[in-house]
Amino acid sequence: SIVLSYLGTGNTAKRAVSVLKEHNVSEENVILSNIFSTPASVKSLLSTFPKVSVTQVYLVCCLILPLCE
């Protein structure tokens, strides 16, 4: 399990998943929990690691319109 308060770009989460995979943790067994995230960050993470589960409390959308596309 990875817990982050904010998922802005997804880079920190991607690095964390990479480290877990380096230690033989299966991608299917990774759960990322966060409070705030942007659609772009979730899309970025899941495009790299599609089998990771993401749980979130609040999806920040359309505060800056280009990031929400």
Side-chain angles (χ1 to χ4, degrees):
S1 229
I2 303 168
V3 179
L4 296 172
S5 59
Y6 178 72
L7 190 60
T9 62
N11 291 335
T12 301
K14 287 194 278 188
R15 180 65 186 133
V17 174
S18 293
V19 169
L20 289 173
K21 289 185 73 169
E22 289 170 9
H23 289 85
N24 299 317
V25 175
S26 174
E27 193 175 312
E28 296 87 355
N29 293 329
V30 176
I31 301 169
L32 170 70
S33 299
N34 66 84
I35 299 171
F36 297 100
S37 60
T38 63
S41 64
V42 175
K43 184 176 181 178
S44 174
L45 174 68
L46 294 178
S47 69
T48 306
F49 301 107
K51 296 178 183 175
V52 168
S53 296
V54 178
T55 61
Q56 58 197 21
V57 174
Y58 185 72
L59 181 64
V60 179
C61 188
C62 298
L63 296 176
I64 303 171
L65 289 175
L67 293 177
C68 295
E69 297 174 354

